[in-house]
Amino acid sequence: MPRVTHKMPQVLTFYAVPVVQGGMMHIGTADLASAVSNAGGLGIITALIFPTPAALRDEIRRCRTLTKKPFAVNITLLPAMVPPDYGAYAQAIIDEGIKIVETAGNSPGPVIKQLKKAGIIVLHKSTTIRHAQSAVKLGVDFLSIDGFECAGHVGESDITNFILLGRARQTLKVPFIASGGFADGHGLAAALLLGASGINMGTRFMATVEAPVHQNIKEAIVKSDEHDTTLLLRRWRNTSRLFKNKVALDALKIEKESQSGEFSEIAPLVSGKRGKEVFVNGDPEHGVWTTGPVMGLIHDVPTCDVLVKRIEKEAEQAFKERSALIVPESKL
């Protein structure tokens, strides 16, 4: 594919192919991040996978032994009874010389300020234009616009990418990438035409050789289709898109039918510990786990290198085929 980077804003020239790996809980390790970066995309380590800032430092250092290419770190701020020390994680990232950080979640202002003061490029994930504009005011350099198709936290607006990306193109004053529902070069080409500077992929990178996920889960993604997710936790305005298994459906039934409205009724079913164990023991029914309807577009488990190169080639071919539909008036 003719490198799109030469026409991109300077802030986006840290990858050869405009494909960014999602910062996924339990999955964004040095193994996956380095593989994506080595393939020409931008790999991302997920900070809060690691129990302490010191453990994150070690993972960043391990990633540097696996790739000489740029990679990023994700910090997601989510509701918690005892929130992590986000400032300490951010400081570990700063101390280790990371140049790009993806932020997401609630009230990211203090962390963004800390990162920007250190000269770090900040990518912020947003599910609405309003939130994206607020992030711009906080000084972020570019945005990841997450449509309703995305896995995990989908927001509460249910606006799909076809509209959301168009609105981003019309209103945002900083570059953005598209997230949610992307798995191939046709999606990349479409996102670029809608105004994005690249795409973010989570579920697609879960089904790669290097992803630290049990083979059974990778095969479950390949066997599933676009109908095999469900939305949970909407009652508590923390809507999450998850793989549609018995545990998720049991939790959804309680959520819809419970008279008390107490989260504690479904807490054992949506345990993060059980979700993490899914990726280790390979039982897709063991707990709730995040995935997107883009599963319907995923049919194999390639290496990251094969996947990124294929996406690049497909996007190039898609542009060639569509441009052939434009006939000069002189030839009509």
Side-chain angles (χ1 to χ4, degrees), residues 7-326:
K7 291 188 177 180
M8 288 183 181
Q10 185 63 33
V11 75
L12 297 177
T13 57
F14 44 73
Y15 44 47
V17 183
V19 173
V20 178
Q21 169 226 321
M24 297 170 281
M25 187 57 70
H26 311 310
I27 298 170
T29 66
D31 306 278
L32 182 57
S34 62
V36 174
S37 290
N38 284 333
L42 179 68
I44 297 183
I45 292 174
T46 307
L48 298 186
I49 289 177
F50 305 97
T52 65
L56 173 60
R57 288 175 188 268
D58 290 342
E59 191 70 2
I60 291 170
R61 293 171 184 176
R62 187 169 78 89
C63 196
R64 287 209 171 98
T65 70
L66 300 173
T67 183
K68 301 303 179 185
K69 302 289 183 64
F71 60 91
V73 176
N74 164 281
I75 301 180
T76 298
L77 294 83
L78 293 174
M81 294 295 290
V82 182
D85 187 345
Y86 295 116
Y89 278 92
Q91 192 59 50
I93 291 167
I94 293 167
D95 292 344
E96 290 302 316
I98 293 295
K99 302 300 183 185
I100 312 144
V101 171
E102 177 188 65
T103 57
N106 302 323
S107 304
V111 167
I112 290 173
K113 182 178 179 180
Q114 182 180 359
L115 295 169
K116 290 302 299 175
K117 187 176 180 181
I120 290 175
I121 295 169
V122 177
L123 159 66
H124 186 73
K125 296 173 76 74
S126 300
T127 58
T128 69
I129 299 302
R130 179 171 61 85
H131 291 151
Q133 290 171 328
S134 296
V136 171
K137 291 178 181 178
L138 291 172
V140 304
D141 299 280
F142 68 123
L143 294 151
S144 177
I145 302 299
D146 281 27
F148 184 56
E149 304 94 327
C150 72
H153 297 281
V154 301
E156 307 302 322
S157 299
D158 301 358
I159 306 297
T160 60
N161 262 326
F162 209 85
I163 302 301
L164 200 56
L165 295 176
R167 288 281 290 126
R169 184 186 69 249
Q170 291 175 345
T171 61
L172 297 180
K173 305 302 182 185
V174 300
F176 60 92
I177 60 173
S179 178
F182 295 101
D184 56 28
H186 298 280
L188 172 57
L192 294 174
L193 288 172
L194 285 168
S197 295
I199 57 173
N200 175 295
M201 302 194 307
T203 303
R204 173 65 272 197
F205 278 123
M206 287 175 66
T208 57
V209 170
E210 295 91 346
V213 176
H214 195 286
Q215 185 65 23
N216 290 354
I217 303 305
K218 299 176 186 182
E219 291 173 3
I221 291 172
V222 171
K223 292 175 184 176
S224 299
D225 64 25
E226 62 272 22
H227 302 285
D228 291 327
T229 70
T230 189
L231 297 175
L232 200 61
L233 308 183
R234 173 140 289 182
R235 185 171 189 169
W236 297 279
R237 296 189 63 78
N238 189 27
T239 307
S240 297
R241 188 182 296 282
L242 304 165
F243 186 76
K244 188 190 289 184
N245 59 15
K246 186 177 185 303
V247 180
L249 292 177
D250 285 348
L252 182 61
K253 186 173 188 295
I254 295 171
E255 178 179 346
K256 289 182 174 180
E257 297 179 1
S258 170
Q259 298 300 311
S260 71
E262 294 293 331
F263 178 76
S264 59
E265 291 189 56
I266 69 166
L269 295 174
V270 299
S271 160
K273 181 176 182 292
R274 286 179 63 173
K276 181 179 181 180
E277 289 169 352
V278 165
F279 298 132
V280 177
N281 66 28
D283 179 3
E285 297 292 327
H286 179 73
V288 297
W289 52 284
T290 297
T291 188
V294 75
M295 289 189 296
L297 303 179
I298 297 172
H299 308 298
D300 63 354
V301 183
T303 64
C304 290
D305 188 66
V306 167
L307 176 62
V308 172
K309 285 182 170 58
R310 184 168 71 198
I311 288 172
E312 184 180 30
K313 186 175 181 180
E314 287 175 347
E316 177 185 3
Q317 187 62 32
F319 277 121
K320 285 181 179 178
E321 291 175 355
R322 296 307 177 267
S323 63
L325 298 175
I326 302 173

